[in-house]
Amino acid sequence: MDVTFKIKRQNPEIPGKDKPYWQEFTLTDVDPTDRVLEMMHRIKWEQDGTLSLRRSCAHGVCGSDAMRINGVNALACKVLIQDVGEQIQIEPILGLPVVKDLIVDMEPFFDHYKQVMPFFINDNPVPEDGRERLQTQSDRELFDDTTKCILCACCTTSCPSFWANGHYVGPAAIVQAHRFIFDTRDQGGQERLNILSEPNGVWRCRTIFNCTPACPREIEVTKAIGEVKLAIRKGTTEGIIQPHEIG
Ligand code: SF4
Ligand code: F3S
Ligand code: FES
């Protein structure tokens, strides 16, 4: 089958191409089970070597090829042609400055990530027997879901609250904070909750829910944000996982 790609391009360094513009490419002999990323490679390698995109693993693991495909954020390597049709529109993810074509500057995104202290904090000496810091299976389940994040930015860059105010820490950073706040072995939870109580923290989330369907890892992003909000309201993470209480 033939497939037409309409790609939003921009090269801020070249006069005449420094504003966003659309360019169409048609590929022949496309298989319905081909992936969008492979087709982007074909365009780059067969038709226009200047097309720029970020990618690495091609298997949904590294999170580097987030883009807007027919208006929906996704990882290009996970999307089959048969699921998006023969006319495909590709744009860079929204809310971050474009470096070139589909490559955006991820620094603001990672600045928010660093803000929530996304690392394990525990000042107690390691157990004398040299074993891991243990926890129960049910304690581990509290943050199982949020360990799956690959920092692809699909959630944050699909959030209208983030588009309106880039200072909002965004759902990805909150997911990362959740992973440690609800880890019973970690001691930095209260500090993270304090950070997320600030004006650009969790309360900028208006429960718009774009982030959850955008997540390629199927993390329940809005639920995690709700659990963090509830922990701030209650002043504790104890007994938080009560979905009916989350507003
Ligand atoms: Fe990507 Fe999901 Fe992590 Fe957001 S929560 S950065 S969409 S993996
Ligand atoms: Fe945005 Fe998701 Fe909240 S889309 S407003 S972070 S529920
Ligand atoms: Fe690594 Fe798609 S290229 S997730």
Side-chain angles (χ1 to χ4, degrees), residues 149-155 172 175 215-217 219 221:
C149 177
I150 54 173
L151 290 169
C152 67
C154 281
C155 55
V175 161
C215 179
R217 304 286 294 165
I219 296 169
V221 180

Side-chain angles (χ1 to χ4, degrees), residues 40-95:
M40 298 292 282
H41 280 155
R42 274 191 58 191
I43 292 169
K44 184 172 176 61
W45 295 336
E46 297 170 10
Q47 297 190 27
D48 186 345
T50 67
L51 178 66
S52 299
L53 64 149
R54 198 181 266 132
R55 75 283 190 203
S56 180
C57 70
H59 287 84
V61 177
C62 71
S64 63
D65 60 336
M67 53 188 77
R68 219 167 141 77
I69 303 173
N70 289 349
V72 176
N73 280 5
L75 298 176
C77 64
K78 290 194 77 174
V79 178
L80 303 182
I81 297 296
Q82 66 192 19
D83 294 329
V84 283
E86 293 164 26
Q87 306 279 336
I88 303 172
Q89 182 173 295
I90 309 270
E91 299 163 78
I93 47 178
L94 301 178

Side-chain angles (χ1 to χ4, degrees), residues 52 54 88 98 144 176-177 214 220:
S52 299
R54 198 181 266 132
I88 303 172
V98 172
D144 251 357
Q176 288 289 328
E220 294 185 84

Side-chain angles (χ1 to χ4, degrees), residues 134-144:
L134 300 176
Q135 66 184 162
T136 65
Q137 203 167 337
S138 58
D139 279 347
R140 178 61 170 77
E141 281 167 8
L142 299 179
F143 63 98
D144 251 357

Side-chain angles (χ1 to χ4, degrees), residues 107-135:
E107 280 307 316
F109 174 80
F110 284 110
D111 286 344
H112 292 320
Y113 166 64
K114 287 177 210 158
Q115 240 178 304
V116 301
M117 303 191 299
F119 42 81
F120 183 70
I121 298 172
N122 187 321
D123 292 333
N124 294 343
V126 283
E128 278 182 11
D129 59 7
R131 297 181 64 185
E132 299 172 66
R133 299 178 198 271
L134 300 176
Q135 66 184 162

Side-chain angles (χ1 to χ4, degrees), residues 5-247:
F5 286 80
K6 187 177 168 193
I7 303 178
K8 192 182 257 184
R9 305 196 59 183
Q10 185 180 3
N11 186 344
E13 290 183 353
I14 298 192
K17 295 192 169 177
D18 50 345
K19 300 275 181 296
Y21 64 98
W22 294 98
Q23 189 170 4
E24 284 196 6
F25 300 90
T26 299
L27 292 175
T28 55
D29 297 325
V30 176
D31 195 280
T33 58
D34 281 336
R35 286 169 194 269
V36 169
L37 181 63
E38 297 167 57
M39 298 305 100
M40 298 292 282
H41 280 155
R42 274 191 58 191
I43 292 169
K44 184 172 176 61
W45 295 336
E46 297 170 10
Q47 297 190 27
D48 186 345
T50 67
L51 178 66
S52 299
L53 64 149
R54 198 181 266 132
R55 75 283 190 203
S56 180
C57 70
H59 287 84
V61 177
C62 71
S64 63
D65 60 336
M67 53 188 77
R68 219 167 141 77
I69 303 173
N70 289 349
V72 176
N73 280 5
L75 298 176
C77 64
K78 290 194 77 174
V79 178
L80 303 182
I81 297 296
Q82 66 192 19
D83 294 329
V84 283
E86 293 164 26
Q87 306 279 336
I88 303 172
Q89 182 173 295
I90 309 270
E91 299 163 78
I93 47 178
L94 301 178
L96 295 169
V98 172
V99 176
K100 187 175 178 229
D101 295 337
L102 302 167
I103 299 177
V104 296
D105 180 2
M106 296 290 282
E107 280 307 316
F109 174 80
F110 284 110
D111 286 344
H112 292 320
Y113 166 64
K114 287 177 210 158
Q115 240 178 304
V116 301
M117 303 191 299
F119 42 81
F120 183 70
I121 298 172
N122 187 321
D123 292 333
N124 294 343
V126 283
E128 278 182 11
D129 59 7
R131 297 181 64 185
E132 299 172 66
R133 299 178 198 271
L134 300 176
Q135 66 184 162
T136 65
Q137 203 167 337
S138 58
D139 279 347
R140 178 61 170 77
E141 281 167 8
L142 299 179
F143 63 98
D144 251 357
D145 197 35
T146 47
T147 61
K148 297 186 300 190
C149 177
I150 54 173
L151 290 169
C152 67
C154 281
C155 55
T156 297
T157 59
S158 68
C159 172
S161 194
F162 179 73
W163 299 339
N165 178 355
H167 296 296
Y168 168 37
V169 69
I174 301 170
V175 161
Q176 288 289 328
H178 179 285
R179 181 258 168 269
F180 293 101
I181 289 168
F182 290 92
D183 186 336
T184 51
R185 303 162 302 178
D186 184 273
Q187 297 174 333
Q190 191 55 54
E191 204 176 335
R192 292 190 193 91
L193 291 177
N194 293 344
I195 292 165
L196 291 172
S197 314
E198 294 291 320
N200 290 316
V202 282
W203 305 112
R204 288 228 176 263
C205 165
R206 308 289 196 246
T207 324
I208 296 169
F209 249 106
N210 275 12
C211 52
T212 300
C215 179
R217 304 286 294 165
E218 298 180 355
I219 296 169
E220 294 185 84
V221 180
T222 311
K223 176 168 178 272
I225 296 170
E227 288 169 359
V228 172
K229 286 178 177 174
L230 192 55
I232 291 171
R233 284 219 307 264
K234 286 187 156 188
T236 175
T237 57
E238 298 288 326
I240 290 300
I241 313 297
Q242 303 291 333
H244 64 278
E245 286 188 274
I246 296 167

